[in-house]
Every structure is written in structure tokens, then in C-alpha cells.
Amino acid sequence: HGLNAAPAFVVCKRRDSTGSWWAGHVGAGWTKGAYLQVTDAFSALSGFWNNTAPDSNVVTLGSYPTEGSTSATYVAYCFAPVEGYSSFGTWEGNSDANGPFVFTGHRPAFILLKGIDHNHYWAMHDDARDPVNTGDKQYLWANDSGQEYNGFDVDLLANGFKLRNSNGNCN
């Protein structure tokens, strides 16, 4: 993959046939995976990553994505943490409008949120459409072809983000 570090988040898809986008995250563990286009929770499928965590050189694909073909071609987007630029982690929701603070070490410009153990949307937030923390943020669902939605309060701070809602999708 050429990152010179182990990826913390990977999204992969077979290019030479129709099929799903599948994702892996260090917080869910590499014995689990999730599909990017649906709301399903991360599930234990050795076929996603062959129960093997990525290392600083290789992401191991399991048998599931090959769909019986050993000559398939793929595209994989691999992301590793870079201090002051990108961060990957988990938190435990509290179901309170005064949600948890998530430390990233920098001000995030883009956040992708997904519940690991529940069926929830992949929520995308950015600072380009809502640069000021005023509540009622605009967001997109990665697994939905619909329009922007409003009403998801998340504050983007100098060293992380703070959830300001009791929405079960991420809190």
C-alpha cells in the first residue's frame, strides 16, 4: 500500500465486476468488516481481511471479496494516522445531548462516523459547509444517495470534536 505505516482504516472494492465496498477499521479489529453502502454493524467475517491486521506494507484480503476469482482486480483506499493531520479511533457513546469529546490532536476538517456494534449510517461531517460551531450542522450519509441533512450537532474543536446530540447513530 505504500504508506510506510499500518493503515487504521481501509475501504476496498473489486474493480472488474459489480460488488460491494467493504471497510475495515482498527477500532473494530481486523476480524470484522462492514459494507460502506449499508447500515449494518461491523461483523465477524474472516473473509474480509483474513483475520489479519494490515502491517506497514500489506493489507491482506480474505476469500470473501474474491468471489471465487483469483485474477480479480481491486482498488483499496488505505488511511494511516499522521500526527496533526489524521486520526482514527473509537469512543463509547453516552446517549446524552452533552455527548463525549473525542480527542484527535488537531482540528478535524472531515469526520466519518459509524457505529461498530449497531446498525447505523455512515455519517460524514466537514468544516467547508459549516465552518462555525453553531449547532444544527449539515451532514451526508455515505450509504445514501439523498441530499444534505440538517440537525446533527457536532463541534469541531482545536484538538478534536464534541458530540452535541443524543442521536444513537454516533452517541
Side-chain angles (χ1 to χ4, degrees):
H1 52 68
L3 293 176
N4 296 321
F9 181 61
V10 177
V11 180
C12 191
K13 183 176 187 332
R14 186 169 169 181
R15 294 180 52 215
D16 59 348
S17 73
T18 60
S20 301
W21 288 92
W22 67 96
H25 188 277
V26 66
W30 298 98
T31 62
K32 294 183 177 182
Y35 294 108
L36 193 60
Q37 72 278 3
V38 297
T39 61
D40 297 354
F42 279 73
S43 59
L45 293 172
S46 64
F48 276 106
W49 314 110
N50 204 31
N51 290 342
T52 305
D55 63 27
S56 60
N57 295 302
V58 176
V59 173
T60 302
L61 300 182
S63 60
Y64 185 76
T66 62
E67 299 160 354
S69 173
T70 58
S71 62
T73 58
Y74 298 89
V75 62
Y77 298 99
C78 303
F79 302 90
V82 175
E83 188 174 339
Y85 182 76
S86 61
S87 178
F88 305 87
T90 61
W91 69 91
E92 190 71 31
N94 65 10
S95 299
D96 190 293
N98 185 19
F101 166 75
V102 180
F103 178 79
T104 63
H106 60 276
R107 186 184 196 308
F110 173 80
I111 304 171
L112 176 63
L113 309 172
K114 169 74 172 112
I116 290 174
D117 52 4
H118 291 90
N119 294 350
H120 293 297
Y121 289 94
W122 294 81
M124 297 185 295
H125 305 271
D126 64 79
D127 67 353
R129 287 171 292 140
D130 276 324
V132 180
N133 293 325
T134 58
D136 199 27
K137 294 277 194 195
Q138 296 177 328
Y139 61 94
L140 299 168
W141 299 127
N143 52 289
D144 181 74
S145 62
Q147 75 286 350
E148 289 180 324
Y149 299 98
N150 289 325
F152 197 90
D153 297 340
V154 58
D155 289 345
L156 304 178
L157 306 170
N159 60 350
F161 60 95
K162 170 90 172 152
L163 298 169
R164 301 266 186 212
N165 63 74
S166 58
N167 185 312
N169 194 64
C170 67
N171 184 22

